[in-house]
Amino acid sequence: MPTYDTLGATYSRTRRPDARIAAQVHAALGGVADVVNVGAGTGSYEPARTVLAVEPSRVMIAQRPAGSAPAVEAVAERLPLRDGAVDAVMALLTVHHWSDPVAGIAELRRVARRRVVVLTWDQEVFRERFWLVREYLPEAAAFDDARAVSVDRLAGLLGGARAEPVPVPHDCTDGFAAAYWRRPRAYLDPRVRAGISLLSQPAPSALAPGLARLADDLDSGRWQARHGELLAHETFDVGYRLLVAEV
């Protein structure tokens, strides 16, 4: 399966942190003294208290902006840190990429003294509410079925966690999978799809028919007829959840 060494070359162009989601993440971290970001990518949502980023892809590390926390090339399942190294550990939209989520979550808990914060999504809610995968790209939904880790399972692995809904703003600046729920034509842009693993990792031939149907429906007005009510919403709950666990 392709990795972010091949998929992430332009990641920083379309995956810019959204200030509203950042505020929710930072509030969940609370008044901790220091933070490690695991599966850090290009450094989105890292608070100023971040002391280390852990990321397996050199391509992603190379896109971290100047002044970011130092980064180490490593995986979640084997964190190069001592027990209780920092107050908090965060892992945002990354667990589904791990080879062993059980080992990875155990490592987050081992390293954190106080708190673990994980951003993930509820696959059942995502499938049901998000028109793109429900109506146009069921192949992409099937791809996520195989890698998504349920919210309940993650909460159990964390030793218990509260789950906060993360509503997606209509003008979200972070181009993750459902970011363009009110801007459907964006999904026809290959540069946008390149920053979304859901749409960049399946074979292009598998997604081409659905994307062609979307283009036709947008041009004909069929999409607007079916989903025009979305245009009145400022945010949309598509199943993203922030898990906050005390350790």
Side-chain angles (χ1 to χ4, degrees):
M1 179 179 291
T3 69
Y4 275 98
D5 278 340
T6 55
L7 296 174
T10 61
Y11 198 79
S12 59
R13 298 180 191 174
T14 59
R15 298 298 298 270
R16 293 173 292 115
D18 185 274
R20 293 149 293 192
I21 296 174
Q24 187 171 354
V25 171
H26 295 173
L29 288 167
V32 297
D34 46 14
V35 179
V36 164
N37 186 13
V38 176
T42 59
S44 293
Y45 305 107
E46 289 178 3
R49 295 159 289 171
T50 305
V51 294
L52 184 69
V54 178
E55 167 58 43
S57 168
R58 294 180 184 179
V59 169
M60 300 295 273
I61 291 173
Q63 295 179 75
R64 293 175 60 80
S68 296
V72 60
E73 187 179 341
V75 297
E77 296 86 346
R78 294 183 299 278
L79 295 178
L81 293 160
R82 60 178 173 79
D83 294 359
V86 289
D87 268 0
V89 179
M90 69 183 204
L92 308 183
L93 294 179
T94 178
V95 173
H96 56 290
H97 293 300
W98 299 354
S99 62
D100 186 347
V102 174
I105 294 296
E107 281 288 87
L108 302 191
R109 297 188 69 201
R110 179 184 66 80
V111 168
R113 288 190 297 267
R114 293 178 54 190
R115 185 168 300 140
V116 176
V117 174
V118 175
L119 178 59
T120 186
W121 77 95
D122 185 317
Q123 177 68 355
E124 291 186 9
V125 174
F126 187 79
R127 261 185 169 276
E128 177 184 345
R129 296 185 183 175
F130 189 26
W131 55 264
L132 181 68
V133 295
R134 185 181 67 239
E135 299 174 18
Y136 296 98
L137 300 177
E139 303 85 359
F143 174 76
D144 262 358
D145 286 344
R147 63 180 188 156
V149 184
S150 77
V151 170
D152 287 345
R153 185 182 182 211
L154 282 176
L157 293 173
L158 286 165
R162 74 174 188 269
E164 301 178 1
V166 180
V168 182
H170 74 92
D171 55 353
C172 185
T173 61
D174 188 352
F176 50 76
Y180 304 97
W181 58 270
R182 214 179 86 171
R183 296 168 286 171
R185 202 169 289 276
Y187 293 110
L188 303 178
D189 186 338
R191 294 168 297 182
V192 167
R193 297 198 303 273
I196 302 172
S197 64
L198 171 69
L199 303 181
S200 59
Q201 291 188 259
S205 59
L207 303 185
L211 292 172
R213 288 196 306 275
L214 175 59
D216 288 344
D217 285 356
L218 287 169
D219 290 342
S220 69
R222 285 189 294 269
W223 185 92
Q224 294 85 342
R226 286 199 298 268
H227 303 293
E229 76 282 356
L230 290 176
L231 302 179
H233 292 275
E234 295 296 308
T235 64
F236 191 28
D237 180 359
V238 201
Y240 292 95
R241 299 291 181 263
L242 196 64
L243 300 182
V244 185
E246 308 301 327
V247 298

